[in-house]
Amino acid sequence: MDVRGGKDHGGDTAVAPGYGFECSGARHDQTSFPEDSEFYMTFLGPLTFIQPDGSPIAVVGWEQAQGAWLA
């Protein structure tokens, strides 16, 4: 997983097996998955997907994630 463009662009690249941590409120610009991936993530609070100007597109909490899983 390339976060903020990956290591080649000033961000970080997660490689299996691995572990990562980010504090609440961290911002992920240009997060991508150059290879098919499976991973486990734990969140504290909802995720907010934003536009380049910082305005929200969607806010996804556990209820929305559970609804998507059940659908």
Side-chain angles (χ1 to χ4, degrees):
M1 176 175 73
D2 288 336
V3 181
R4 293 178 300 280
K7 283 187 179 180
D8 292 340
H9 301 284
D12 200 5
T13 298
V15 179
Y19 170 83
F21 171 82
E22 285 189 319
C23 63
S24 294
R27 182 173 170 156
H28 289 260
D29 293 324
Q30 300 176 338
T31 299
S32 62
F33 300 86
E35 296 183 25
D36 289 343
S37 305
E38 292 184 26
F39 54 93
Y40 173 81
M41 297 175 76
T42 302
F43 299 95
L44 177 61
L47 297 176
T48 302
F49 294 87
I50 60 172
Q51 298 191 46
D53 67 2
S55 62
I57 297 169
V59 179
V60 180
W62 74 267
E63 292 165 312
Q64 293 80 18
Q66 183 71 27
W69 179 264
L70 294 174

